[in-house]
Amino acid sequence: MFSSLVRSCHQSITGMTLSIAAVMAGLMAHSALAEVTFNGFATVAVTTHSNDDIQYRSSLVNRPRNSPSLAPDSVLGGQVNYYINDRWDAVAQVVLQDRADTAASNYLEMAFLRYRPTRHWSFKLGRVNSNLYMLSEYKPVGYAQIWARPPLEFYSNASVVSSVDGLEVVHSQDVGEGFLELGLIVGQTQPRLKGSSGKLRANFKELVSLSARYSWKEWQFKSTYASGTVDNPQIPQFDVFTQAVNSVPSQLLPQQDELLTRFSGEGDRIKYLAGGVKYDGERWNVQGEVGSVDVDWLLFTSLRFGYLSVGYYMDEFTPFVSVSGAQSKDMDFRFSTPDIPPSTPPELAAGIVGLIAGSNATITDLLVDQYSLSAGVNWHFYPSWVAKAQLDHIRMDNPGTGLFGNNALIDDVGEERMNVFTLSVSTVF
Amino acid sequence: MKEVAIFSLLTRLLQVMVQRASWLMVCILLCLSSATVSQAAQDEPLVVVVNQASGVDTLTKKEVVDIFMGRYNRFPNGQVAYPVDLPQGSSGKSHFYMQLVNQSERKIQSYWSRLLFSGRAKPPEASESLPDVVNYVVSNEEAIAYLPRTLITSEMKIVFQFSS
């Protein structure tokens, strides 16, 4: 059943892409102004970290890595812009990065056809950026940011919904001395993650995102609200888990339904809320964001997260410091072991206890309670080239390591500290 | 006789050297004057211009910002706008963006990498030289550029100038 759903999803995306290609070809035939440009960006980074029990990754959709490694923060991106005429254009962007699930779809960041009928309106159809947060649209472009990576506690989780297949409508207008953009996105997305037990996929369907961005002189303000529904999640070994839960008589396991429902995620509503402010003046770069995700699905924990960053421009050097954090909203929820009558066969009683213990261990492993203090310097040493050095001190409070992977057994994971040092060179071309 | 011949040879040699040195001096002077003229042109007050046939007659500073910072791809009257930049690294370009948005060229380049790779807009057309920009404006009805006032021709019109 899952494979047929995945196939149908692939077919719908492929169908849409082919339709866009056909429209583009038709428009191209009628246009003498068509122009194709290619641009790219790249970052080569070496990342080391100090904790042997933790496997580092810069994003939830990336592969956890041991230290040192070139993989976690290195990126290569290419973008084709196809200008058909002054109203129509198309953009496709592919970004090669250290994805855990290496499905082609995980590397296609954008592929849309855009129509701009007037000065104030823009319509995009295809794969568009989810645009949930301030840096969402150019998160992989190292050259465009002062840090070695966007604040991890904020943007690691954000990468799960980095693009949406659907329609985006943007209205732009002057408001006072500033510039206001209002955006609406409707569509769906399929996060593709992979852990040690296998691939985790789900459709977030009926996704609706509303965003507002206001720019005024050196200031920028942004807020977003988005919601969607979890549909047909593919969870590794979930059929085995379901079978185990259903094999226990319901009078011995009263929370049978809750176990299945909370882990399955099917039909759960997921809600995003975020707001951010940025000041980019002649000398100072200050920005901060706060965000929140709410969902009942235990495998995609509800989170609150935020960061504050301060940079100071000194000619070609920009030293910076930042603090960021992410915390699961419900740190205490666990399934309680039911009262097992003494007459229960010992094997069954042990099975029930093991089932609850395993479920709680999974919940614990996915919890996030993590903070970072970061400091570094950005050196714009040549036009289109920057080098960066960054040190992060990361504190993971008991119990989870949700944003990273762990080498130790789940039971062994406790309070952890880790220093991460990154040296990188980024360019655009 | 021998001394006369040597003297004559030395005189001839000196003449050749002076001639060659003169040519060298002329070449150096020409290069210097050309560079000075170019530098002088770029250091002059900049004005924002469009093609004479454009339907746009005047713009506010904010409207110039809107176009050169990629917020709109059309003029306020709805006509499409094709902005063009002075060469990368030129004093004219850095001077223009400092006057327009108080941002260095380095930060402008970073800003445009954000807009380009977010798929929002493409940066102004890049040029190789001042004459390139002049030709672009003269030959393109939708063009908008910034140039030293002394390079404005009858085929262009000024739509904005910075107040001193």
Side-chain angles (χ1 to χ4, degrees), chain A residues 35 39-41 79 83 86-87 93 110 114 116 119 137-138 141 143-144 173-174 177-179 181 213 280-282 313 315-316 380 383-384 428, chain B residues 62-63 66-67 71-78 80 82 88 98 101-103 106-107 109-110 113-123 125:
Chain A
E35 176 194 348
N39 298 90
F41 52 89
Q79 178 174 311
Y83 302 95
D86 59 21
R87 293 186 195 279
Q93 186 184 87
M110 291 188 282
R114 175 169 41 201
R116 288 186 274 203
R119 189 171 190 246
E137 292 183 312
Y138 52 91
V141 188
Y143 176 82
Q173 68 176 72
D174 299 333
E177 286 294 301
F179 177 71
E181 283 176 293
R213 185 199 303 262
D280 196 6
E282 189 177 352
Y313 298 114
D315 297 324
E316 66 265 37
H380 200 130
S384 304
V428 289
Chain B
K62 184 175 183 305
E63 287 163 348
D66 286 343
I67 290 169
R71 292 173 177 172
Y72 293 114
N73 70 336
R74 292 175 183 276
F75 290 108
N77 67 358
V80 69
Y82 292 132
Q88 186 177 344
M98 281 306 290
V101 287
N102 198 28
Q103 302 274 345
R106 190 180 299 127
K107 286 171 73 176
Q109 195 174 2
S110 177
S113 71
R114 296 198 284 270
L115 256 65
L116 175 66
F117 293 117
S118 61
R120 286 169 165 266
K122 68 168 185 170
E125 194 74 24

Side-chain angles (χ1 to χ4, degrees), chain B residues 50-112:
Chain B
V50 296
N51 186 290
Q52 185 60 247
S54 167
V56 178
D57 293 320
T58 181
L59 292 172
T60 64
K61 183 178 179 182
K62 184 175 183 305
E63 287 163 348
V64 176
V65 171
D66 286 343
I67 290 169
F68 276 93
M69 300 304 281
R71 292 173 177 172
Y72 293 114
N73 70 336
R74 292 175 183 276
F75 290 108
N77 67 358
Q79 180 187 333
V80 69
Y82 292 132
V84 58
D85 265 333
L86 287 182
Q88 186 177 344
S90 64
S91 60
K93 184 177 177 184
S94 59
H95 189 51
F96 175 72
Y97 282 103
M98 281 306 290
Q99 282 189 292
L100 192 69
V101 287
N102 198 28
Q103 302 274 345
S104 67
E105 192 180 349
R106 190 180 299 127
K107 286 171 73 176
I108 291 296
Q109 195 174 2
S110 177
Y111 171 87
W112 269 110

Side-chain angles (χ1 to χ4, degrees), chain A residues 201-232:
Chain A
R201 294 178 176 179
N203 286 336
F204 289 176
K205 67 173 189 180
E206 298 160 1
L207 198 66
V208 177
S209 162
L210 295 163
S211 66
R213 185 199 303 262
Y214 185 67
S215 309
W216 175 68
K217 297 183 177 175
E218 291 91 356
W219 292 88
Q220 192 179 104
F221 306 86
K222 174 157 186 176
S223 65
T224 309
Y225 171 77
S227 74
T229 304
V230 179
D231 181 45
N232 292 312

Side-chain angles (χ1 to χ4, degrees), chain A residues 294-348:
Chain A
D294 284 289
V295 63
D296 283 338
W297 192 13
L298 288 173
L299 296 183
F300 195 77
T301 179
S302 293
L303 276 178
R304 60 176 74 89
F305 37 91
Y307 72 91
L308 178 67
S309 162
V310 179
Y312 185 75
Y313 298 114
M314 300 168 63
D315 297 324
E316 66 265 37
F317 292 98
T318 308
F320 59 86
V321 291
S322 72
V323 57
S324 60
Q327 189 181 51
S328 297
K329 287 191 172 179
D330 188 352
M331 300 291 289
D332 300 324
F333 177 80
R334 302 289 189 283
F335 290 100
S336 53
T337 307
D339 294 329
I340 302 171
S343 57
T344 308
E347 298 81 14
L348 182 56

